[in-house]
Amino acid sequence: MLSKNDETSGQNTASRIANSFFHGAFKKYSTAVENKRFILKVQERKYPDLPIIEFLCNVMARDLGLDVPDFYYVLLNNKLPTFVTRNILDFHDKSNLVHIWHYLKVEGRKDLKI
């Protein structure tokens, strides 16, 4: 489904195939393939480097021996850089996780809603 051609932006395609949600400042998408849940972070104008940075951080964490879920760097619709990772909640009992975003206090930033 992720490689389906679309004349519009990849975000619109991602919206049709997955649920979107916000934790932090970056929109994410959640989808499932064969009962495995994944989180997608599609490149956005405001944060164009986020997908590759997420990918490289996961590569470094894995190479340092940290336990990280499966992750991938793909081009959504063969054009939009996208970071894809297994949803860590698949590996843990149900819990009420609180995103670090809720603890950040950044003065002078109107785009941060805490």
Side-chain angles (χ1 to χ4, degrees):
M1 277 203 263
L2 294 179
S3 63
K4 180 181 175 186
N5 285 333
D6 188 343
E7 296 301 318
T8 61
S9 74
Q11 280 98 349
N12 291 336
T13 298
S15 296
R16 288 195 303 274
I17 63 172
N19 297 318
S20 66
F21 60 96
F22 283 93
H23 289 287
F26 195 83
K27 189 171 187 177
K28 300 156 192 77
Y29 299 91
S30 177
T31 192
V33 177
E34 298 180 2
N35 295 322
K36 295 177 182 176
R37 293 185 304 162
F38 294 87
I39 296 172
L40 292 79
K41 295 182 181 181
V42 181
Q43 183 182 54
E44 295 179 5
R45 284 187 191 122
K46 191 171 181 180
Y47 306 102
D49 297 326
L50 187 114
I52 191 66
I53 291 170
E54 291 263 356
F55 177 77
L56 294 173
C57 288
N58 276 268
V59 168
M60 288 186 289
R62 181 194 61 207
D63 290 350
L64 289 169
L66 298 174
D67 188 19
V68 295
D70 294 339
F71 59 92
Y72 311 91
Y73 186 79
V74 300
L75 293 176
L76 183 65
N77 291 332
N78 294 319
K79 61 183 172 183
L80 283 171
T82 304
F83 173 72
V84 180
T85 185
R86 285 285 308 272
N87 190 325
I88 62 168
L89 296 179
D90 284 352
F91 306 108
H92 301 284
D93 293 332
K94 291 188 177 191
S95 61
N96 186 10
L97 298 177
V98 177
H99 194 279
I100 191 171
W101 186 260
H102 296 285
Y103 297 103
L104 297 177
K105 294 187 187 216
V106 181
E107 295 183 32
R109 294 271 315 261
K110 294 179 182 177
D111 61 325
L112 301 179
K113 295 179 182 174
I114 300 172

